[in-house]
Amino acid sequence: MIDQPDTATRTYEASSMWQQIGEAHLNQEMIADLAGFKNSEVNYRLALVNVQTNGVRFLKTLVYGLAGSLSEDAWAGLTRIRHREVGDPISVTYHGEQVDLDYLRAALELEFIAKRVDLDKAEVLEIGAGYGRTAHAIISNHELSGYCVVDLPNTLELSRKYLAAVLTGEQFAKVEFVPVDKIESTLADRTFDLCINIDSMAEMSAETVRSYLALIDQQCRHFYVNNPVGKYMDKSLDSHARGEEAVARALSTGLLTNIIDIHDNRAVEAQARNYVEAYVPGPDWKCVADEWARPWSYLWQALYQRQGR
């Protein structure tokens, strides 16, 4: 037990650190007006760390909280994905596992899909695989017949290198890489049990998205889509760091160009109805499940199933 000072020797004074904080950030001038103080050094010293300089802190906090919320099935799926550390992701340690946001998302997406689609022995087509984390997650958890990745040439080369590094030789042999200019010649007359698109159809031209939906309509049995429900113009998120021209390009792509408040759950849910309708591949398809795709407020996921064919 700590020895308690008697009344005569008790002291109540600011440490040298807080003396400096008080002089620099909590002086009379800075606290004279309440306007905006919660977005200033005043509050960054009292409660909220500076959002401009603490991005990694917030990312790790998000990952930590999300890891703790996973269901048993999702956690088991995550831990079966080996070599997640390749590429040095920003991660936290949870239950002895190194966990990063990309693979947390993959575990949640896989849980959503696997509840509704039999993936064992399935033929899977992924449009726009990025570096390949979704393929890595699914192949690590299910014995597929094959996994076909369609993408732009440079991204395709990245996913090829990454998947070769993280999969076993037997697993990697099941992956086929198809550049976008070879889609018609390579995929003609083939059928897939599941097609996946995550976070890229919103960045394509509307014409390209419709072309992919036509391909899915003709050649796939299920379609999983996880994309933004709409566009947003909240400059406080990134100060439009890539420039206004890049913002204009982003606003013009995809099927859903309505600008909404992506941090208003009612606005997101209302726009989600348009989202579900927009991504129906064809008249013979039905949406069998849809919901918010954690953790980003503006992402929605939906699974469609072809009926009667």
Side-chain angles (χ1 to χ4, degrees):
M1 180 176 179
I2 298 174
D3 292 336
Q4 300 292 336
D6 58 37
T7 304
T9 60
R10 292 176 189 172
T11 60
Y12 306 95
E13 61 184 27
S15 66
S16 60
M17 180 183 76
W18 268 94
Q19 286 177 355
Q20 190 277 328
I21 291 172
E23 293 169 2
H25 304 298
L26 293 173
N27 57 53
Q28 290 298 315
E29 180 181 354
M30 296 187 73
I31 64 175
D33 188 349
L34 291 180
F37 88 94
K38 289 184 179 177
N39 294 298
S40 73
E41 282 295 324
V42 174
N43 201 39
Y44 295 157
R45 288 298 183 174
L46 290 174
L48 182 70
V49 294
N50 191 332
V51 297
Q52 302 298 325
T53 59
N54 280 265
V56 172
R57 183 194 301 266
F58 282 109
L59 175 58
K60 287 192 171 187
T61 300
L62 174 64
V63 170
Y64 192 92
L66 196 58
S69 73
L70 290 184
S71 69
E72 289 186 9
D73 286 345
W75 183 259
L78 177 70
T79 58
R80 283 191 285 267
I81 309 168
R82 310 317 304 165
H83 308 303
R84 302 188 308 276
E85 74 283 356
V86 172
D88 301 320
I90 296 171
S91 62
V92 303
T93 304
Y94 206 89
H95 291 326
E97 293 279 344
Q98 293 300 112
V99 183
D100 66 272
L101 186 58
D102 277 348
Y103 280 99
L104 279 171
R105 287 185 62 193
L108 290 167
E109 292 154 1
L110 178 57
E111 180 183 36
F112 181 89
I113 294 169
K115 284 180 179 179
R116 300 164 176 93
V117 180
D118 184 1
L119 293 172
D120 292 321
K121 304 302 181 183
E123 288 278 358
V124 178
L125 169 67
E126 184 173 8
I127 298 166
Y131 66 77
R133 55 98 165 159
T134 305
H136 185 197
I138 294 177
I139 293 169
S140 297
N141 279 274
H142 295 275
E143 288 292 335
L144 304 178
S145 292
Y147 199 105
C148 180
V149 174
V150 168
D151 218 326
L152 301 172
N154 288 349
T155 312
L156 206 63
E157 185 59 25
L158 173 61
S159 62
R160 187 194 307 271
K161 289 180 179 179
Y162 183 79
L163 291 173
V166 298
L167 296 175
T168 66
E170 182 181 357
Q171 290 171 332
F172 184 71
K174 294 182 179 181
V175 186
E176 180 181 5
F177 300 88
V178 178
V180 292
D181 60 349
K182 302 292 185 182
I183 289 175
E184 296 296 338
S185 59
T186 306
L187 303 186
D189 301 323
R190 293 174 58 179
T191 59
F192 298 90
D193 298 291
L194 172 68
C195 178
I196 295 171
N197 180 262
I198 296 173
D199 215 10
S200 66
M201 281 189 168
E203 299 175 350
M204 302 174 186
S205 70
E207 181 181 0
T208 296
V209 177
R210 293 188 186 100
S211 294
Y212 278 124
L213 291 177
L215 182 150
I216 294 164
D217 181 31
Q218 294 171 0
Q219 298 179 231
C220 302
R221 297 186 179 92
H222 295 88
F223 174 42
Y224 172 78
V225 61
N226 182 329
N227 270 268
V229 296
K231 305 297 185 180
Y232 55 92
M233 284 288 288
D234 188 348
K235 197 171 184 178
S236 70
L237 297 177
D238 63 357
S239 300
H240 292 175
R242 293 186 174 127
E244 297 303 321
E245 186 177 343
V247 172
R249 286 197 298 267
L251 291 175
S252 68
T253 57
L255 299 177
L256 300 162
T257 56
N258 291 351
I259 296 174
I260 65 167
D261 180 355
I262 59 169
H263 295 113
D264 177 341
N265 72 302
R266 290 178 177 175
V268 170
E269 289 167 7
Q271 179 66 2
R273 299 308 98 208
N274 297 327
Y275 174 99
V276 169
E277 183 178 346
Y279 284 110
V280 177
D284 296 330
W285 289 74
K286 177 183 178 182
C287 179
V288 294
D290 72 283
E291 64 185 30
W292 172 42
R294 291 184 293 163
W296 303 124
S297 63
Y298 51 89
L299 292 181
W300 205 261
Q301 58 186 346
L303 181 72
Y304 302 85
Q305 183 175 14
R306 191 174 64 184
Q307 307 292 301
R309 279 199 283 154

